[in-house]
Amino acid sequence: MSAYDRNNVFAKILRGELPCKKVYEDEFALAFHDINPLAPVHVLVIPKGEYVSQADFGATAPPELATGFWRAVSKVARDLGLDTEGYRIVANHGPNGGQLVFHFHVHIFGGRQMSHAMRSMPKADSQG
Ligand code: 5GP
């Protein structure tokens, strides 16, 4: 895993150097709308700390931050009114996971029926 790059776009948002449409903030996490939404609700939640991805965060974040971060994810989804109808959370890790921004983040998707995308994923031996 490569080292954390302090110039990544989410680091700049955290430092207030780039704008975002903020949904929620506390001492552990910041949540804001994705710039290119893929669902009626598409919010990103990022931890306040320098973590490249879920692998990094899960292995090295202090317990208080890890708990605070996941509580924030739950609260954001609840406050967005998604609990009853349901939602999807996604965290992409590394190139095969399709990660584009290397500051750990969780996507919250809601507001419509999600496809069963995993059923249409390429087979293990496929090149596609
Ligand atoms: P990843 O593939 O790394 O899990 O997803 C990164 C997400 O960040 C993408 O959904 C992309 O639309 C979003 N994103 C990239 N740059 C910005 C930005 O400057 N502002 C916001 N709000 N979202 C961004």
Side-chain angles (χ1 to χ4, degrees):
M1 185 165 39
S2 53
Y4 185 83
D5 174 9
R6 290 186 173 161
N7 286 318
N8 78 73
V9 70
F10 293 170
K12 291 180 179 177
I13 288 174
L14 259 186
R15 291 196 296 267
E17 296 168 10
L18 285 176
C20 71
K21 285 171 65 181
K22 184 160 70 173
V23 172
Y24 176 75
E25 181 171 18
D26 64 19
E27 65 191 292
F28 305 111
L30 174 68
F32 51 91
H33 291 280
D34 195 291
I35 203 167
N36 183 27
L38 300 176
V41 178
H42 183 175
V43 165
L44 302 168
V45 190
I46 67 176
K48 290 192 171 177
E50 298 183 349
Y51 302 96
V52 175
S53 74
Q54 158 59 24
D56 187 15
F57 186 74
T60 67
E64 190 186 20
L65 175 59
T67 302
F69 172 75
W70 286 108
R71 289 242 162 91
V73 172
S74 303
K75 177 174 170 49
V76 167
R78 192 166 59 245
D79 290 353
L80 288 167
L82 301 177
D83 262 5
T84 304
E85 297 296 324
Y87 57 92
R88 175 171 291 171
I89 59 173
V90 169
N92 297 321
H93 168 72
N96 277 1
Q99 186 177 6
L100 297 174
V101 178
F102 291 90
H103 179 115
F104 171 50
H105 53 280
V106 167
H107 298 252
I108 300 176
F109 298 105
R112 67 164 165 78
Q113 175 66 55
M114 300 296 142
S115 70
H116 290 278
M118 283 184 281
R119 288 188 191 158
S120 58
M121 284 174 69
K123 300 280 183 279
D125 59 354
S126 146
Q127 300 300 307

